[in-house]
Amino acid sequence: MLNHRFAGNERPIVSPNSAPIGVFDSGVGGLTVLRELYRQLPYESIIYFGDTARLPYGTRSQEQILKFVREILHWMVQQGAKMVIMACNTSSALALETVRSEFNVPILGLILPGARAAVQQGQRIGVIATPATAASDAYRRAILEVEPGTQVWQMGCPEFVPLIEQNRLEDPYTVSVAQKYLEPLLERQIDTLIYGCTHYPYLAPVLHRILPRSVKLVDPAVHVVAAAGQELDLLGLKNLRPPMPTRFCVSGNPQPFIRLASQWLGYAPIVERISLPELVYQQPVELETVE
Ligand code: DGL
């Protein structure tokens, strides 16, 4: 296995506090986390990466997710990130535990903050997530660790991410798909529903139409950003000066990303394309010493 520890130390950071927070997702989903960062930590500079060339993540194997996440983390460290937020539940569920100790930057994921917030809200918790996140059982394990005895039902929703990335947010077909996914959870009389994928808050208008008012929605984005703020405080790494403009990067065609991001953020971002070969981690060649 590649050893990524201390990777990227070759790039000096002038002031660690003014260095950006790295945020990544497979696509536009992580923008729901970015928006929370703007709200809660407005002085932080952000570098956002959407791995749109390899989207969706939610139907991929753990091995693939681990490979992608390592590549992105290595790149983020090279860009000088002082902290990385996995704004992707699939990566948080399948890779966070493994990669956390491989890099010397703090790496935060969504599962634990989401689980902690959900148990404050209810005892019958539904989770809508990508198939990979649902199959990993990460939310159930995290919730039971925090509050044993809670009941948890996880629903894999394979059609949501492609529909969202195609901007079919209010399409009648999307509504019928949402009904199909929520029905089994509503039959269990859930009192709380976790957005177990960062793309899903885009569907809030549709979900609100289907869910009874009594069901509380938990968006882990809110809570991972709160955790990031606490961690920055603890490490003395908060930025106190005006931030740099957010740097947006994607691995695929920037145009569809720009269209969706403009709707969500309220401005059209400038987006750089980072080709996959730039991202793929090149293992340093070992130099042989000549005796
Ligand atoms: N938005 C991501 C998540 O939270 C990934 C979705 C996907 O690419 O399938 O899981």
Side-chain angles (χ1 to χ4, degrees):
M1 198 190 66
L2 301 178
N3 181 9
H4 298 264
R5 192 178 277 273
F6 308 125
N9 272 3
E10 60 277 9
R11 189 182 165 114
I13 296 164
V14 182
S15 147
N17 293 60
S18 62
I21 298 177
V23 176
F24 77 86
D25 179 45
S26 60
V28 292
L31 299 178
T32 61
V33 177
L34 180 68
R35 213 163 73 159
E36 261 318 295
L37 277 159
Y38 288 165
R39 201 175 66 81
Q40 293 187 45
L41 300 172
Y43 284 110
E44 297 302 331
S45 301
I46 316 285
I47 176 164
Y48 185 94
F49 180 77
D51 197 2
T52 53
R54 301 188 285 197
L55 173 134
Y57 275 16
T59 44
R60 293 194 179 263
S61 68
Q62 181 169 32
E63 202 187 346
Q64 286 175 310
I65 298 290
L66 270 169
K67 175 180 180 289
F68 300 165
V69 166
R70 285 192 173 114
E71 287 169 2
I72 295 166
L73 286 170
H74 187 264
W75 181 82
M76 285 287 185
V77 173
Q78 274 184 334
Q79 306 309 305
K82 65 179 174 184
M83 165 184 274
V84 179
I85 300 180
M86 289 186 175
C88 169
N89 287 267
T90 311
S91 306
S92 309
L94 275 70
L96 179 60
E97 268 175 46
T98 310
V99 299
R100 197 171 238 163
S101 59
E102 296 175 4
F103 294 83
N104 73 338
V105 284
I107 306 170
L108 278 71
L110 293 146
I111 309 289
L112 195 56
R116 284 202 179 117
V119 299
Q120 305 286 321
Q121 299 290 331
Q123 286 108 42
R124 300 178 67 82
I125 299 174
V127 184
I128 45 173
T130 64
T133 302
S136 76
D137 212 26
Y139 266 108
R140 186 203 307 276
R141 282 187 280 120
I143 289 168
L144 295 185
E145 216 173 282
V146 184
E147 197 60 67
T150 312
Q151 288 189 282
V152 185
W153 295 275
Q154 299 161 103
M155 176 59 79
C157 310
E159 291 197 69
F160 273 166
V161 167
L163 286 168
I164 294 163
E165 290 283 341
Q166 289 160 31
N167 204 8
R168 293 174 63 186
L169 304 182
E170 299 272 347
D171 198 303
Y173 179 71
T174 307
V175 178
S176 70
V177 167
Q179 259 154 351
K180 179 182 78 184
Y181 291 146
L182 290 179
E183 209 175 84
L185 297 174
L186 293 175
E187 274 169 17
R188 304 286 179 175
Q189 298 187 317
I190 55 163
D191 54 25
T192 306
L193 182 68
I194 302 180
Y195 287 121
C197 170
T198 50
H199 279 74
Y200 298 174
Y202 287 89
L203 295 176
V206 168
L207 300 179
H208 281 301
R209 254 183 273 161
I210 301 168
L211 292 168
R213 273 169 178 267
S214 57
V215 175
K216 288 162 221 115
L217 274 161
V218 172
D219 184 356
V222 176
H223 308 284
V224 75
V225 172
Q230 283 167 9
E231 183 125 0
L232 289 176
D233 266 338
L234 216 69
L235 298 169
L237 278 179
K238 252 195 180 150
N239 192 30
L240 305 171
R241 305 219 176 126
M244 299 286 286
T246 301
R247 186 176 159 208
F248 290 93
C249 304
V250 295
S251 54
N253 176 2
Q255 288 314 316
F257 181 90
I258 293 171
R259 261 198 302 281
L260 274 167
S262 313
Q263 272 169 240
W264 187 253
L265 298 171
Y267 65 89
I270 296 167
V271 179
E272 289 166 52
R273 185 172 190 166
I274 305 291
S275 66
L276 287 176
E278 277 179 74
L279 201 64
V280 172
Y281 177 63
Q282 308 285 337
Q283 190 165 21
V285 181
E286 295 244 337
L287 291 176
E288 276 180 36
T289 45
V290 184
E291 301 274 306

mmCIF file of all heavy atoms in Angstrom, residues 24-30 32-33 48 51 54-60 65 86-93 110 129-133 139 157-158 160-162 165 195-200, ligand 1:
data_model
loop_
_atom_site.group_PDB
_atom_site.id
_atom_site.type_symbol
_atom_site.label_atom_id
_atom_site.label_comp_id
_atom_site.label_asym_id
_atom_site.label_seq_id
_atom_site.Cartn_x
_atom_site.Cartn_y
_atom_site.Cartn_z
ATOM 1 N N PHE A 24 -14.379 17.807 -0.661
ATOM 2 C CA PHE A 24 -14.572 17.070 -1.912
ATOM 3 C C PHE A 24 -15.798 16.176 -1.885
ATOM 4 O O PHE A 24 -16.276 15.758 -0.844
ATOM 5 C CB PHE A 24 -13.315 16.266 -2.281
ATOM 6 C CG PHE A 24 -13.128 14.994 -1.493
ATOM 7 C CD1 PHE A 24 -13.723 13.806 -1.897
ATOM 8 C CD2 PHE A 24 -12.343 14.980 -0.347
ATOM 9 C CE1 PHE A 24 -13.541 12.628 -1.170
ATOM 10 C CE2 PHE A 24 -12.159 13.809 0.387
ATOM 11 C CZ PHE A 24 -12.760 12.634 -0.033
ATOM 12 N N ASP A 25 -16.270 15.913 -3.082
ATOM 13 C CA ASP A 25 -17.416 15.031 -3.309
ATOM 14 C C ASP A 25 -17.253 14.474 -4.727
ATOM 15 O O ASP A 25 -16.361 14.899 -5.477
ATOM 16 C CB ASP A 25 -18.723 15.833 -3.192
ATOM 17 C CG ASP A 25 -19.948 14.972 -3.446
ATOM 18 O OD1 ASP A 25 -20.011 13.853 -2.900
ATOM 19 O OD2 ASP A 25 -20.849 15.391 -4.197
ATOM 20 N N SER A 26 -18.168 13.572 -5.097
ATOM 21 C CA SER A 26 -18.142 13.075 -6.470
ATOM 22 C C SER A 26 -18.641 14.141 -7.453
ATOM 23 O O SER A 26 -18.309 14.094 -8.631
ATOM 24 C CB SER A 26 -19.024 11.833 -6.571
ATOM 25 O OG SER A 26 -20.350 12.172 -6.207
ATOM 26 N N GLY A 27 -19.458 15.070 -6.979
ATOM 27 C CA GLY A 27 -20.033 16.069 -7.889
ATOM 28 C C GLY A 27 -20.519 17.291 -7.140
ATOM 29 O O GLY A 27 -19.778 17.870 -6.343
ATOM 30 N N VAL A 28 -21.803 17.646 -7.385
ATOM 31 C CA VAL A 28 -22.339 18.872 -6.777
ATOM 32 C C VAL A 28 -22.808 18.669 -5.335
ATOM 33 O O VAL A 28 -23.142 19.641 -4.655
ATOM 34 C CB VAL A 28 -23.519 19.457 -7.595
ATOM 35 C CG1 VAL A 28 -23.053 19.978 -8.934
ATOM 36 C CG2 VAL A 28 -24.654 18.444 -7.754
ATOM 37 N N GLY A 29 -22.873 17.403 -4.889
ATOM 38 C CA GLY A 29 -23.398 17.131 -3.542
ATOM 39 C C GLY A 29 -22.666 17.916 -2.460
ATOM 40 O O GLY A 29 -23.277 18.469 -1.554
ATOM 41 N N GLY A 30 -21.359 17.993 -2.590
ATOM 42 C CA GLY A 30 -20.568 18.653 -1.558
ATOM 43 C C GLY A 30 -20.847 20.145 -1.452
ATOM 44 O O GLY A 30 -20.461 20.788 -0.465
ATOM 45 N N THR A 32 -23.594 21.336 -0.807
ATOM 46 C CA THR A 32 -24.486 21.513 0.354
ATOM 47 C C THR A 32 -23.640 21.704 1.620
ATOM 48 O O THR A 32 -24.046 22.390 2.540
ATOM 49 C CB THR A 32 -25.469 20.320 0.503
ATOM 50 O OG1 THR A 32 -24.732 19.111 0.705
ATOM 51 C CG2 THR A 32 -26.354 20.162 -0.733
ATOM 52 N N VAL A 33 -22.458 21.114 1.627
ATOM 53 C CA VAL A 33 -21.521 21.309 2.742
ATOM 54 C C VAL A 33 -20.833 22.674 2.599
ATOM 55 O O VAL A 33 -20.663 23.413 3.570
ATOM 56 C CB VAL A 33 -20.479 20.163 2.801
ATOM 57 C CG1 VAL A 33 -19.455 20.401 3.901
ATOM 58 C CG2 VAL A 33 -21.177 18.818 2.996
ATOM 59 N N TYR A 48 -12.543 23.390 -3.457
ATOM 60 C CA TYR A 48 -13.589 22.382 -3.666
ATOM 61 C C TYR A 48 -13.215 21.503 -4.842
ATOM 62 O O TYR A 48 -12.851 22.005 -5.914
ATOM 63 C CB TYR A 48 -14.928 23.074 -3.963
ATOM 64 C CG TYR A 48 -16.088 22.097 -4.061
ATOM 65 C CD1 TYR A 48 -16.872 21.829 -2.953
ATOM 66 C CD2 TYR A 48 -16.381 21.426 -5.250
ATOM 67 C CE1 TYR A 48 -17.914 20.909 -3.024
ATOM 68 C CE2 TYR A 48 -17.417 20.509 -5.326
ATOM 69 C CZ TYR A 48 -18.192 20.267 -4.208
ATOM 70 O OH TYR A 48 -19.225 19.360 -4.275
ATOM 71 N N ASP A 51 -15.367 15.138 -8.197
ATOM 72 C CA ASP A 51 -14.774 14.097 -9.049
ATOM 73 C C ASP A 51 -15.788 13.662 -10.111
ATOM 74 O O ASP A 51 -16.154 12.482 -10.209
ATOM 75 C CB ASP A 51 -14.340 12.912 -8.168
ATOM 76 C CG ASP A 51 -13.359 12.000 -8.880
ATOM 77 O OD1 ASP A 51 -12.983 12.296 -10.044
ATOM 78 O OD2 ASP A 51 -12.967 10.982 -8.278
ATOM 79 N N ARG A 54 -15.768 10.589 -12.435
ATOM 80 C CA ARG A 54 -15.921 9.226 -11.906
ATOM 81 C C ARG A 54 -17.215 9.060 -11.113
ATOM 82 O O ARG A 54 -17.370 8.131 -10.344
ATOM 83 C CB ARG A 54 -14.688 8.859 -11.068
ATOM 84 C CG ARG A 54 -13.421 8.956 -11.911
ATOM 85 C CD ARG A 54 -12.212 8.433 -11.226
ATOM 86 N NE ARG A 54 -11.684 9.312 -10.193
ATOM 87 C CZ ARG A 54 -10.464 9.199 -9.689
ATOM 88 N NH1 ARG A 54 -9.659 8.253 -10.127
ATOM 89 N NH2 ARG A 54 -10.041 10.025 -8.751
ATOM 90 N N LEU A 55 -18.099 9.981 -11.294
ATOM 91 C CA LEU A 55 -19.398 9.982 -10.611
ATOM 92 C C LEU A 55 -20.330 8.930 -11.234
ATOM 93 O O LEU A 55 -20.213 8.712 -12.443
ATOM 94 C CB LEU A 55 -19.951 11.386 -10.820
ATOM 95 C CG LEU A 55 -21.343 11.780 -10.410
ATOM 96 C CD1 LEU A 55 -21.248 13.103 -9.699
ATOM 97 C CD2 LEU A 55 -22.282 11.886 -11.576
ATOM 98 N N PRO A 56 -21.241 8.264 -10.568
ATOM 99 C CA PRO A 56 -21.453 8.361 -9.126
ATOM 100 C C PRO A 56 -20.543 7.425 -8.344
ATOM 101 O O PRO A 56 -20.105 6.401 -8.854
ATOM 102 C CB PRO A 56 -22.919 7.920 -8.991
ATOM 103 C CG PRO A 56 -23.155 6.980 -10.123
ATOM 104 C CD PRO A 56 -22.254 7.422 -11.237
ATOM 105 N N TYR A 57 -20.282 7.805 -7.108
ATOM 106 C CA TYR A 57 -19.483 6.968 -6.212
ATOM 107 C C TYR A 57 -20.337 5.858 -5.575
ATOM 108 O O TYR A 57 -19.811 4.828 -5.170
ATOM 109 C CB TYR A 57 -18.903 7.822 -5.080
ATOM 110 C CG TYR A 57 -17.596 8.531 -5.394
ATOM 111 C CD1 TYR A 57 -17.129 8.680 -6.692
ATOM 112 C CD2 TYR A 57 -16.835 9.059 -4.353
ATOM 113 C CE1 TYR A 57 -15.930 9.345 -6.944
ATOM 114 C CE2 TYR A 57 -15.636 9.714 -4.593
ATOM 115 C CZ TYR A 57 -15.185 9.860 -5.892
ATOM 116 O OH TYR A 57 -14.000 10.505 -6.130
ATOM 117 N N GLY A 58 -21.620 6.141 -5.455
ATOM 118 C CA GLY A 58 -22.485 5.302 -4.612
ATOM 119 C C GLY A 58 -22.738 3.900 -5.095
ATOM 120 O O GLY A 58 -23.326 3.092 -4.380
ATOM 121 N N THR A 59 -22.281 3.579 -6.326
ATOM 122 C CA THR A 59 -22.452 2.206 -6.805
ATOM 123 C C THR A 59 -21.075 1.546 -7.001
ATOM 124 O O THR A 59 -20.961 0.523 -7.652
ATOM 125 C CB THR A 59 -23.239 2.202 -8.139
ATOM 126 O OG1 THR A 59 -22.716 3.232 -8.980
ATOM 127 C CG2 THR A 59 -24.717 2.473 -7.906
ATOM 128 N N ARG A 60 -20.051 2.153 -6.443
ATOM 129 C CA ARG A 60 -18.697 1.621 -6.611
ATOM 130 C C ARG A 60 -18.278 0.741 -5.431
ATOM 131 O O ARG A 60 -18.897 0.777 -4.380
ATOM 132 C CB ARG A 60 -17.712 2.778 -6.788
ATOM 133 C CG ARG A 60 -17.945 3.528 -8.086
ATOM 134 C CD ARG A 60 -16.777 4.407 -8.384
ATOM 135 N NE ARG A 60 -16.924 5.132 -9.623
ATOM 136 C CZ ARG A 60 -16.399 4.743 -10.783
ATOM 137 N NH1 ARG A 60 -15.718 3.618 -10.869
ATOM 138 N NH2 ARG A 60 -16.551 5.477 -11.860
ATOM 139 N N ILE A 65 -13.395 3.255 -4.145
ATOM 140 C CA ILE A 65 -13.582 4.480 -3.347
ATOM 141 C C ILE A 65 -12.278 4.819 -2.614
ATOM 142 O O ILE A 65 -11.846 5.966 -2.595
ATOM 143 C CB ILE A 65 -14.747 4.318 -2.329
ATOM 144 C CG1 ILE A 65 -16.077 4.065 -3.052
ATOM 145 C CG2 ILE A 65 -14.848 5.512 -1.385
ATOM 146 C CD1 ILE A 65 -16.635 5.224 -3.820
ATOM 147 N N MET A 86 -14.552 15.458 4.015
ATOM 148 C CA MET A 86 -15.135 14.567 3.006
ATOM 149 C C MET A 86 -16.604 14.940 2.918
ATOM 150 O O MET A 86 -17.397 14.540 3.778
ATOM 151 C CB MET A 86 -15.035 13.114 3.472
ATOM 152 C CG MET A 86 -13.654 12.566 3.467
ATOM 153 S SD MET A 86 -13.748 10.797 3.869
ATOM 154 C CE MET A 86 -12.030 10.364 3.647
ATOM 155 N N ALA A 87 -16.954 15.718 1.910
ATOM 156 C CA ALA A 87 -18.353 16.147 1.778
ATOM 157 C C ALA A 87 -19.126 15.103 0.991
ATOM 158 O O ALA A 87 -19.937 15.421 0.122
ATOM 159 C CB ALA A 87 -18.406 17.509 1.106
ATOM 160 N N CYS A 88 -18.853 13.873 1.294
ATOM 161 C CA CYS A 88 -19.390 12.726 0.571
ATOM 162 C C CYS A 88 -19.583 11.606 1.589
ATOM 163 O O CYS A 88 -18.613 11.152 2.213
ATOM 164 C CB CYS A 88 -18.391 12.315 -0.515
ATOM 165 S SG CYS A 88 -18.749 10.742 -1.291
ATOM 166 N N ASN A 89 -20.827 11.202 1.771
ATOM 167 C CA ASN A 89 -21.101 10.142 2.749
ATOM 168 C C ASN A 89 -20.490 8.814 2.337
ATOM 169 O O ASN A 89 -20.043 8.043 3.171
ATOM 170 C CB ASN A 89 -22.618 9.951 2.899
ATOM 171 C CG ASN A 89 -23.265 11.077 3.660
ATOM 172 O OD1 ASN A 89 -23.428 11.017 4.861
ATOM 173 N ND2 ASN A 89 -23.619 12.138 2.960
ATOM 174 N N THR A 90 -20.492 8.558 1.022
ATOM 175 C CA THR A 90 -19.975 7.272 0.544
ATOM 176 C C THR A 90 -18.491 7.151 0.903
ATOM 177 O O THR A 90 -18.054 6.119 1.414
ATOM 178 C CB THR A 90 -20.193 7.165 -0.984
ATOM 179 O OG1 THR A 90 -21.551 7.505 -1.275
ATOM 180 C CG2 THR A 90 -19.899 5.780 -1.489
ATOM 181 N N SER A 91 -17.746 8.230 0.682
ATOM 182 C CA SER A 91 -16.325 8.219 1.045
ATOM 183 C C SER A 91 -16.165 8.139 2.563
ATOM 184 O O SER A 91 -15.297 7.420 3.073
ATOM 185 C CB SER A 91 -15.629 9.489 0.549
ATOM 186 O OG SER A 91 -15.844 9.654 -0.812
ATOM 187 N N SER A 92 -17.005 8.871 3.284
ATOM 188 C CA SER A 92 -16.912 8.861 4.747
ATOM 189 C C SER A 92 -17.194 7.457 5.284
ATOM 190 O O SER A 92 -16.534 6.986 6.195
ATOM 191 C CB SER A 92 -17.931 9.829 5.368
ATOM 192 O OG SER A 92 -17.848 11.105 4.792
ATOM 193 N N ALA A 93 -18.188 6.785 4.677
ATOM 194 C CA ALA A 93 -18.583 5.456 5.171
ATOM 195 C C ALA A 93 -17.552 4.392 4.805
ATOM 196 O O ALA A 93 -17.275 3.493 5.590
ATOM 197 C CB ALA A 93 -19.948 5.080 4.597
ATOM 198 N N LEU A 110 -18.838 12.724 7.436
ATOM 199 C CA LEU A 110 -20.205 13.124 7.782
ATOM 200 C C LEU A 110 -20.940 12.171 8.722
ATOM 201 O O LEU A 110 -21.921 12.562 9.359
ATOM 202 C CB LEU A 110 -21.034 13.214 6.493
ATOM 203 C CG LEU A 110 -20.621 14.344 5.545
ATOM 204 C CD1 LEU A 110 -20.825 13.920 4.103
ATOM 205 C CD2 LEU A 110 -21.415 15.592 5.860
ATOM 206 N N ALA A 129 -29.636 6.974 1.521
ATOM 207 C CA ALA A 129 -28.205 7.045 1.198
ATOM 208 C C ALA A 129 -27.947 6.359 -0.138
ATOM 209 O O ALA A 129 -28.850 5.748 -0.721
ATOM 210 C CB ALA A 129 -27.405 6.359 2.304
ATOM 211 N N THR A 130 -26.708 6.456 -0.599
ATOM 212 C CA THR A 130 -26.337 5.721 -1.812
ATOM 213 C C THR A 130 -26.323 4.223 -1.465
ATOM 214 O O THR A 130 -26.208 3.856 -0.279
ATOM 215 C CB THR A 130 -24.930 6.136 -2.300
ATOM 216 O OG1 THR A 130 -23.969 5.754 -1.308
ATOM 217 C CG2 THR A 130 -24.853 7.623 -2.575
ATOM 218 N N PRO A 131 -26.403 3.350 -2.480
ATOM 219 C CA PRO A 131 -26.367 1.912 -2.175
ATOM 220 C C PRO A 131 -25.114 1.525 -1.385
ATOM 221 O O PRO A 131 -25.189 0.701 -0.461
ATOM 222 C CB PRO A 131 -26.368 1.261 -3.560
ATOM 223 C CG PRO A 131 -27.015 2.267 -4.455
ATOM 224 C CD PRO A 131 -26.641 3.619 -3.913
ATOM 225 N N ALA A 132 -23.970 2.116 -1.715
ATOM 226 C CA ALA A 132 -22.722 1.751 -1.019
ATOM 227 C C ALA A 132 -22.774 2.171 0.449
ATOM 228 O O ALA A 132 -22.359 1.408 1.329
ATOM 229 C CB ALA A 132 -21.528 2.401 -1.709
ATOM 230 N N THR A 133 -23.278 3.366 0.723
ATOM 231 C CA THR A 133 -23.357 3.824 2.119
ATOM 232 C C THR A 133 -24.349 2.959 2.895
ATOM 233 O O THR A 133 -24.066 2.529 4.018
ATOM 234 C CB THR A 133 -23.784 5.306 2.181
ATOM 235 O OG1 THR A 133 -22.842 6.083 1.448
ATOM 236 C CG2 THR A 133 -23.855 5.816 3.608
ATOM 237 N N TYR A 139 -24.062 4.140 9.078
ATOM 238 C CA TYR A 139 -24.936 4.982 9.908
ATOM 239 C C TYR A 139 -25.510 4.195 11.080
ATOM 240 O O TYR A 139 -25.542 4.687 12.205
ATOM 241 C CB TYR A 139 -26.056 5.610 9.065
ATOM 242 C CG TYR A 139 -25.662 6.982 8.576
ATOM 243 C CD1 TYR A 139 -25.363 7.210 7.240
ATOM 244 C CD2 TYR A 139 -25.548 8.055 9.461
ATOM 245 C CE1 TYR A 139 -24.974 8.465 6.800
ATOM 246 C CE2 TYR A 139 -25.150 9.315 9.031
ATOM 247 C CZ TYR A 139 -24.871 9.514 7.704
ATOM 248 O OH TYR A 139 -24.480 10.759 7.289
ATOM 249 N N CYS A 157 -30.651 4.420 -2.332
ATOM 250 C CA CYS A 157 -31.465 5.149 -3.323
ATOM 251 C C CYS A 157 -30.643 5.377 -4.598
ATOM 252 O O CYS A 157 -30.218 6.507 -4.870
ATOM 253 C CB CYS A 157 -31.910 6.500 -2.742
ATOM 254 S SG CYS A 157 -32.652 6.413 -1.103
ATOM 255 N N PRO A 158 -30.419 4.314 -5.390
ATOM 256 C CA PRO A 158 -29.487 4.433 -6.519
ATOM 257 C C PRO A 158 -29.864 5.488 -7.560
ATOM 258 O O PRO A 158 -28.998 6.012 -8.248
ATOM 259 C CB PRO A 158 -29.500 3.025 -7.143
ATOM 260 C CG PRO A 158 -30.707 2.346 -6.583
ATOM 261 C CD PRO A 158 -30.962 2.964 -5.254
ATOM 262 N N PHE A 160 -31.264 8.514 -7.157
ATOM 263 C CA PHE A 160 -31.276 9.934 -6.776
ATOM 264 C C PHE A 160 -30.104 10.736 -7.360
ATOM 265 O O PHE A 160 -30.310 11.797 -7.942
ATOM 266 C CB PHE A 160 -31.273 10.084 -5.257
ATOM 267 C CG PHE A 160 -32.649 10.071 -4.616
ATOM 268 C CD1 PHE A 160 -32.778 9.904 -3.233
ATOM 269 C CD2 PHE A 160 -33.796 10.252 -5.370
ATOM 270 C CE1 PHE A 160 -34.037 9.903 -2.629
ATOM 271 C CE2 PHE A 160 -35.060 10.251 -4.770
ATOM 272 C CZ PHE A 160 -35.170 10.078 -3.392
ATOM 273 N N VAL A 161 -28.879 10.240 -7.180
ATOM 274 C CA VAL A 161 -27.712 11.057 -7.597
ATOM 275 C C VAL A 161 -27.734 11.339 -9.107
ATOM 276 O O VAL A 161 -27.606 12.502 -9.524
ATOM 277 C CB VAL A 161 -26.382 10.442 -7.114
ATOM 278 C CG1 VAL A 161 -25.186 11.097 -7.804
ATOM 279 C CG2 VAL A 161 -26.257 10.605 -5.600
ATOM 280 N N PRO A 162 -27.943 10.307 -9.968
ATOM 281 C CA PRO A 162 -28.017 10.630 -11.401
ATOM 282 C C PRO A 162 -29.126 11.645 -11.713
ATOM 283 O O PRO A 162 -28.921 12.559 -12.516
ATOM 284 C CB PRO A 162 -28.292 9.270 -12.052
ATOM 285 C CG PRO A 162 -27.738 8.270 -11.084
ATOM 286 C CD PRO A 162 -27.937 8.852 -9.724
ATOM 287 N N GLU A 165 -27.837 15.093 -10.590
ATOM 288 C CA GLU A 165 -26.770 15.593 -11.468
ATOM 289 C C GLU A 165 -27.329 15.994 -12.840
ATOM 290 O O GLU A 165 -26.762 16.832 -13.522
ATOM 291 C CB GLU A 165 -25.644 14.558 -11.603
ATOM 292 C CG GLU A 165 -24.814 14.371 -10.337
ATOM 293 C CD GLU A 165 -23.789 15.502 -10.078
ATOM 294 O OE1 GLU A 165 -23.457 16.239 -11.008
ATOM 295 O OE2 GLU A 165 -23.343 15.622 -8.913
ATOM 296 N N TYR A 195 -30.342 12.802 5.798
ATOM 297 C CA TYR A 195 -29.853 12.893 4.430
ATOM 298 C C TYR A 195 -28.497 12.188 4.436
ATOM 299 O O TYR A 195 -27.466 12.802 4.766
ATOM 300 C CB TYR A 195 -29.596 14.341 4.035
ATOM 301 C CG TYR A 195 -30.802 15.218 3.778
ATOM 302 C CD1 TYR A 195 -31.016 16.387 4.520
ATOM 303 C CD2 TYR A 195 -31.693 14.930 2.749
ATOM 304 C CE1 TYR A 195 -32.088 17.225 4.251
ATOM 305 C CE2 TYR A 195 -32.773 15.766 2.484
ATOM 306 C CZ TYR A 195 -32.965 16.906 3.234
ATOM 307 O OH TYR A 195 -34.005 17.740 2.971
ATOM 308 N N GLY A 196 -28.479 10.915 4.055
ATOM 309 C CA GLY A 196 -27.232 10.155 4.109
ATOM 310 C C GLY A 196 -26.408 10.280 2.843
ATOM 311 O O GLY A 196 -25.524 9.457 2.578
ATOM 312 N N CYS A 197 -26.689 11.297 2.056
ATOM 313 C CA CYS A 197 -25.904 11.614 0.855
ATOM 314 C C CYS A 197 -25.993 13.121 0.690
ATOM 315 O O CYS A 197 -27.081 13.698 0.803
ATOM 316 C CB CYS A 197 -26.487 10.912 -0.366
ATOM 317 S SG CYS A 197 -25.761 11.463 -1.941
ATOM 318 N N THR A 198 -24.852 13.749 0.427
ATOM 319 C CA THR A 198 -24.833 15.218 0.385
ATOM 320 C C THR A 198 -25.588 15.782 -0.821
ATOM 321 O O THR A 198 -25.868 16.974 -0.878
ATOM 322 C CB THR A 198 -23.389 15.739 0.381
ATOM 323 O OG1 THR A 198 -22.646 15.047 -0.640
ATOM 324 C CG2 THR A 198 -22.731 15.520 1.724
ATOM 325 N N HIS A 199 -25.901 14.930 -1.792
ATOM 326 C CA HIS A 199 -26.709 15.401 -2.921
ATOM 327 C C HIS A 199 -28.177 15.625 -2.509
ATOM 328 O O HIS A 199 -28.884 16.406 -3.142
ATOM 329 C CB HIS A 199 -26.710 14.369 -4.050
ATOM 330 C CG HIS A 199 -25.501 14.396 -4.937
ATOM 331 N ND1 HIS A 199 -24.281 13.923 -4.547
ATOM 332 C CD2 HIS A 199 -25.347 14.845 -6.216
ATOM 333 C CE1 HIS A 199 -23.419 14.058 -5.556
ATOM 334 N NE2 HIS A 199 -24.039 14.620 -6.573
ATOM 335 N N TYR A 200 -28.641 14.892 -1.517
ATOM 336 C CA TYR A 200 -30.092 14.815 -1.285
ATOM 337 C C TYR A 200 -30.763 16.101 -0.810
ATOM 338 O O TYR A 200 -31.961 16.276 -1.078
ATOM 339 C CB TYR A 200 -30.430 13.648 -0.340
ATOM 340 C CG TYR A 200 -30.061 12.271 -0.871
ATOM 341 C CD1 TYR A 200 -30.198 11.134 -0.076
ATOM 342 C CD2 TYR A 200 -29.567 12.085 -2.168
ATOM 343 C CE1 TYR A 200 -29.860 9.870 -0.550
ATOM 344 C CE2 TYR A 200 -29.208 10.830 -2.641
ATOM 345 C CZ TYR A 200 -29.362 9.728 -1.830
ATOM 346 O OH TYR A 200 -29.018 8.479 -2.296
HETATM 347 N N1 DGL B 1 -22.696 12.891 -2.549
HETATM 348 C C1 DGL B 1 -22.039 11.671 -2.259
HETATM 349 C C2 DGL B 1 -22.497 11.063 -0.977
HETATM 350 O O1 DGL B 1 -22.753 11.806 -0.044
HETATM 351 C C3 DGL B 1 -21.788 10.716 -3.407
HETATM 352 C C4 DGL B 1 -22.922 10.397 -4.272
HETATM 353 C C5 DGL B 1 -22.523 9.531 -5.459
HETATM 354 O O2 DGL B 1 -21.638 9.918 -6.215
HETATM 355 O O3 DGL B 1 -23.114 8.444 -5.630
HETATM 356 O O4 DGL B 1 -22.552 9.874 -0.815
#
